[in-house]
Amino acid sequence: MVAGVSLAEAPAFKKAPGGAPANVAVGIAKLGGSSAFIGKVGDDEFGYMLAKILKDNNVNNSGVRFDPTARTALAFVTLRADGEREFLFFRNPSADMLFREEELDVALIKKAGIFHYGSISLIEEPSRSTHLAAMGIAKKAGCFLSYDPNLRLALWPSPEAAREGIMSIWDQADLIKISEDEITFLTGGDDPYSDEVVLTKLFHPKLKLLIVTEGSAGCRYYTKEFKGRVPGVKVKAVDTTGAGDAFVSGVLNSIASDQSVCQDEKRLREALLFANACGGLTVTERGAIPAMPTKDDVLQFLSNQK
């Protein structure tokens, strides 16, 4: 991959595993947590590769299904000169879109303390119904529900469909993580820096924690009792791919140890600083999964920052 060129100009592409929820699962395992991934890939070489990478990174992949009729989804990514990304997706339909409810590993979902998901699986049937069923099973089992919409506008039929789809499950989550761009999009152009916008339009009564990520600037947090911001960590960015997912891994790893962290501002701030460092370290290397840090990496990095 060559930085600073468009997809059309790129001379070659390097094979790299990824996908937001899978990245989060790997991030948690690398931090020493226990994670499993549920989803569907093609019964093809790329599908086997992804299942193996999960396993190699200590993620339970027993909930992965293989579709004999559809291919594993591909995303071509190029880095612009500023380190931001341009995407081109190949999925018409890809195996992940054909994940059916009867293929869910219900026992695996019930074992989880936290159930984390995105919004891409909501775009098409049957994966939409499967996603909703999995959320229902998790909620009933007492799981903590974590939602990172991860807006990929190019995959939705229209901006309106994206807004509607993403918001359709908004009020179910215990934790929501969004970026500034996503606030602007979901509110129809409101100021992403305004606490009032976030609290009146995006915060909902069941939410234990709403996090707004601001890239290298850090993050803001909102609960029913308090709000604030935690500054980012200083790093040299090489590739922003997976930074948000590594951040989520850091947050969820802390919540998995103790859910009451959401009610204690001092401890929440420590958890968010840890998560900022997870995201920060990930951008210093190419690719999402290889760049995810271990707990020791993060603690070492934070002790050097003081």
Side-chain angles (χ1 to χ4, degrees), residues 1 14 30 79 83 85 235-243 278-294 297:
M1 186 158 67
K14 184 171 184 275
K30 278 202 166 176
L79 282 177
R85 299 155 303 162
V235 292
K236 185 182 181 333
V238 174
D239 178 6
T240 58
T241 309
C278 291
L281 282 170
T282 302
V283 306
T284 61
E285 282 183 51
R286 283 272 167 95
I289 286 174
M292 297 268 178
T294 64
D297 292 337

Side-chain angles (χ1 to χ4, degrees), residues 79-127:
L79 282 177
R80 296 201 314 246
D82 60 2
E84 281 305 320
R85 299 155 303 162
E86 189 186 333
F87 290 93
L88 175 63
F89 297 95
F90 278 58
R91 53 199 304 269
N92 60 331
S94 51
D96 57 295
M97 297 156 77
L98 304 176
F99 193 24
R100 297 191 310 275
E101 197 176 327
E102 61 268 26
E103 294 175 310
L104 283 172
D105 187 332
V106 174
L108 189 59
I109 297 172
K110 287 180 173 172
K111 277 202 298 219
I114 298 173
F115 183 67
H116 176 74
Y117 46 89
S119 70
I120 289 167
S121 41
L122 296 171
I123 299 173
E124 298 261 2
E125 290 292 358
S127 67

Side-chain angles (χ1 to χ4, degrees), residues 114 144-146 173-176 203 206-211 221-228 250-272:
I114 298 173
F144 181 98
L145 298 193
S146 164
D174 296 297
L175 162 68
I176 295 174
F203 198 86
K206 292 185 208 152
L207 256 184
K208 295 189 174 78
L209 177 61
L210 175 66
I211 301 172
Y221 57 88
Y222 301 86
T223 73
K224 284 193 200 65
E225 280 78 43
F226 48 77
K227 62 181 195 293
V251 174
L252 294 184
N253 202 50
S254 298
I255 292 173
S257 314
D258 184 3
Q259 283 190 24
S260 70
V261 73
C262 298
Q263 282 95 54
D264 179 337
E265 189 167 13
K266 183 177 179 290
R267 280 166 54 228
L268 178 62
R269 289 183 66 85
E270 284 167 10
L272 292 174

Side-chain angles (χ1 to χ4, degrees), residues 115 117 131-132 135-137 139-140 143-147 166-176 204-208:
F115 183 67
Y117 46 89
H131 179 136
L132 298 175
M135 277 175 63
I137 293 162
K139 191 100 179 157
K140 210 169 165 189
C143 298
F144 181 98
L145 298 193
S146 164
Y147 183 24
I166 287 170
M167 296 308 289
S168 68
I169 57 167
W170 199 259
D171 60 354
Q172 307 277 316
D174 296 297
L175 162 68
I176 295 174
H204 68 74
K206 292 185 208 152
L207 256 184
K208 295 189 174 78

Side-chain angles (χ1 to χ4, degrees), residues 122-123 153 156-168 185:
L122 296 171
I123 299 173
L153 207 44
W156 291 85
S158 68
E160 295 70 38
R163 205 172 284 122
E164 201 175 302
I166 287 170
M167 296 308 289
S168 68
F185 175 75

Side-chain angles (χ1 to χ4, degrees), residues 47-70:
Y48 305 136
M49 173 194 84
L50 293 175
K52 182 178 185 298
I53 282 165
L54 289 171
K55 197 169 182 209
D56 291 348
N57 282 283
N58 300 311
V59 175
N60 178 335
N61 70 356
S62 63
V64 174
R65 302 289 176 258
F66 297 87
D67 194 302
T69 64

